[in-house]
């Protein structure tokens, strides 16, 4: 497990504390922290620990460390960030087989872009993490699918009915305009807004070398994608549930979720309302994976609630 350098930890703690104490405060003078050597090195180490395949440039970690040199690699990235000449490369698409025989796309940025995204994540995550709902469990610090399953089982003893739902193609269909509206609600960093938009719209290189323009979605494989996905779900689902159904406990792990209900009629009503809400946000409730359950069946083997902890980070 990587140890966070004290200087990086201090910066993140200050960002988190300020955002918590003064939600309306906006940080404007942090651009010089982006290319700081210790932050770039820590970002590289985090990306290195996640491993992952090369992007479109074919460069892997051995190439960087044995040929280019880590210091040279990071210095060149620092100069591009400092001079505001950094531009992300296209992401490489790889199709990953699923258990049902279908495939899902994994989009792999270059290591250079993953390091730049990690720098952005180190700055942005402390500004939004404190606002996320306690029952949002996907890809968050100190949260896990096991915790989501544990709290769901406990609630099933107290609530007879549940709506299990899945969002069809969540990561491929997140609306960029709505997402950036949410991002701007939490930061005024011009560099951060600029680069997030560039990462969202970076073209996709297909298996045959063809280039595809992306107009929706966050890349599964992008380092900053989990935070952006959670932010989108925070406003599309979590806050909506608290406004519309404040007495109904729920949890979700990325695109899989469950709402506990008092009876079947309420579960049906919430299912209809949630489907409409997701449609408003440019999303779709999966027709086959979204079902209403009598929760005691979970303990008789008729239903096994599944939370999918598949990786989103390459």
């Amino acid at each position: 497990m990587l140890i966070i350098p004290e200087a990086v930890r201090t910066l993140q703690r200050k960002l988190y504390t300020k955002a918590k104490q003064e939600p309306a405060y906006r940080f404007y003078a942090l651009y010089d922290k982006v290319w700081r050597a210790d932050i770039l090195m820590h970002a590289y180490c985090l990306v290195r620990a996640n491993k992952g395949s090369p992007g479109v440039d074919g460069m892997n970690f051995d190439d960087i460390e044995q040929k280019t040199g880590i210091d040279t690699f990071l210095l060149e990235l620092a100069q591009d960030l400092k001079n505001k000449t950094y531009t992300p490369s296209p992401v490489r698409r790889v199709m990953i087989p699923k258990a049902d025989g279908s495939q899902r796309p994994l989009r792999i940025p270059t290591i250079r872009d993953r390091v730049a995204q990690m720098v952005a994540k180190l700055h942005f995550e402390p500004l939004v993490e404190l606002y996320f709902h306690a029952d949002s469990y996907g890809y968050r610090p100190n949260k896990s699918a096991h915790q989501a399953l544990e709290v769901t089982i406990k609630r099933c003893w107290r609530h007879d009915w549940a709506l299990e739902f899945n969002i069809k193609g969540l990561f491929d269909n997140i609306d960029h305009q709505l997402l950036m509206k949410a991002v701007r609600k939490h930061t005024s960093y011009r560099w951060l807004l600029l680069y997030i938009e560039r990462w969202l719209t970076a073209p996709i290189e297909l298996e045959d070398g063809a280039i595809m323009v992306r107009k929706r979605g966050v890349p599964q494989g992008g380092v900053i994608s989990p935070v952006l996905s959670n932010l989108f779900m925070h406003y599309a689902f979590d806050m909506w549930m608290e406004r519309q159904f404040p007495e109904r406990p729920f949890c979700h792990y990325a695109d899989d979720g469950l709402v506990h209900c008092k009876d079947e009629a309420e579960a049906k009503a919430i299912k209809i309302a949630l489907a409409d809400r997701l449609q408003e946000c440019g999303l779709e409730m999966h027709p086959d994976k979204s079902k209403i359950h009598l929760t005691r069946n979970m303990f008789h083997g008729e239903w096994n609630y599944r939370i999918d902890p598949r990786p989103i980070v390459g």
Side-chain angles (χ1 to χ4, degrees):
M1 183 176 179
L2 286 174
I3 298 176
I4 303 175
E6 187 57 36
V8 178
R9 187 189 301 274
T10 299
L11 173 62
Q12 289 190 299
R13 189 184 299 117
K14 287 181 178 179
L15 292 173
Y16 181 94
T17 302
K18 192 69 173 180
K20 185 175 183 179
Q21 294 176 345
E22 300 181 43
Y25 186 84
R26 292 294 175 264
F27 301 85
Y28 294 96
L30 285 174
Y31 192 59
D32 62 311
K33 309 295 189 297
V34 175
W35 61 83
R36 220 170 68 183
D38 58 333
I39 292 177
L40 282 167
M41 179 58 77
H42 182 56
Y44 178 84
C45 291
L46 290 171
V47 172
R48 183 71 166 90
N50 287 335
K51 300 180 180 180
S53 302
V56 295
D57 61 0
M59 182 177 287
N60 58 34
F61 291 104
D62 288 339
D63 293 330
I64 293 171
E65 294 166 11
Q66 297 176 14
K67 298 178 182 178
T68 307
I70 298 176
D71 291 341
T72 300
F73 173 80
L74 294 179
L75 180 61
E76 291 175 354
L77 177 57
Q79 288 298 320
D80 283 347
L81 291 171
K82 183 177 182 179
N83 297 330
K84 301 180 182 179
T85 56
Y86 165 77
T87 301
S89 302
V91 294
R92 181 170 69 92
R93 190 180 78 171
V94 177
M95 300 305 293
I96 306 297
K98 297 175 67 174
D100 60 4
S102 62
Q103 295 182 315
R104 67 179 180 89
L106 182 66
R107 300 186 178 106
I108 305 173
T110 63
I111 294 175
R112 172 184 171 86
D113 290 337
R114 300 207 296 267
V115 173
Q117 288 187 30
M118 185 63 78
V119 171
K121 180 183 177 184
L122 290 172
H123 286 78
F124 185 59
E125 190 171 52
L127 303 182
V128 296
E129 173 63 30
L130 71 157
Y131 295 105
F132 290 160
H133 198 280
D135 285 312
S136 170
Y137 290 91
Y139 317 116
R140 294 181 59 193
N142 304 314
K143 294 280 189 178
S144 70
H146 296 292
Q147 292 173 341
L149 184 58
E150 183 178 332
V151 74
T152 294
I153 292 173
K154 289 180 179 178
R155 288 169 177 169
C156 282
W157 289 108
R158 302 194 298 270
H159 304 274
D160 291 334
W161 291 88
L163 165 64
E164 177 192 16
F165 69 90
N166 172 271
I167 301 174
K168 187 176 180 180
L170 168 65
F171 307 110
D172 293 329
N173 292 293
I174 287 178
D175 182 280
H176 288 174
Q177 185 174 355
L178 291 178
L179 175 57
M180 290 308 300
K181 180 180 179 180
V183 172
R184 290 187 183 94
K185 189 176 179 66
H186 294 276
T187 183
S188 298
Y189 293 179
R190 283 179 291 180
W191 68 270
L192 188 55
L193 297 172
L194 172 66
Y195 290 144
I196 287 177
E197 287 188 300
R198 287 183 178 178
W199 289 321
L200 290 176
T201 57
I204 301 167
E205 183 180 283
L206 306 182
E207 293 81 349
D208 61 1
I211 298 295
M212 183 173 71
V213 177
R214 184 171 64 223
K215 297 181 179 179
R216 300 178 67 84
V218 297
Q220 282 189 279
V223 172
I224 201 169
S225 295
V227 180
L228 297 178
S229 299
N230 281 334
L231 182 62
F232 192 88
M233 285 295 291
H234 175 73
Y235 289 105
F237 175 69
D238 300 349
M239 293 297 95
W240 177 81
M241 279 294 300
E242 292 214 325
R243 292 193 305 271
Q244 300 298 320
F245 303 99
E247 297 180 357
R248 295 296 100 214
F250 66 85
C251 79
H252 74 88
Y253 190 101
D255 54 352
D256 289 312
L258 184 139
V259 181
H260 296 273
C261 308
K262 62 183 179 182
D263 53 38
E264 185 178 15
E266 183 181 56
K268 289 180 177 179
I270 293 178
K271 184 178 182 181
I272 293 171
L274 178 56
D276 290 342
R277 170 59 177 175
L278 293 176
Q279 190 173 40
E280 289 176 2
C281 298
L283 302 174
E284 178 185 357
M285 181 182 289
H286 199 296
D288 300 322
K289 296 181 181 179
S290 302
K291 302 175 182 179
I292 292 172
H293 300 276
L294 187 60
T295 55
R296 65 170 175 266
N297 288 343
M298 176 180 182
F299 306 102
H300 291 283
E302 297 176 23
W303 172 50
N304 289 311
Y305 179 56
R306 176 186 65 85
I307 295 179
D308 184 1
R310 63 183 181 277
I312 190 174
V313 177

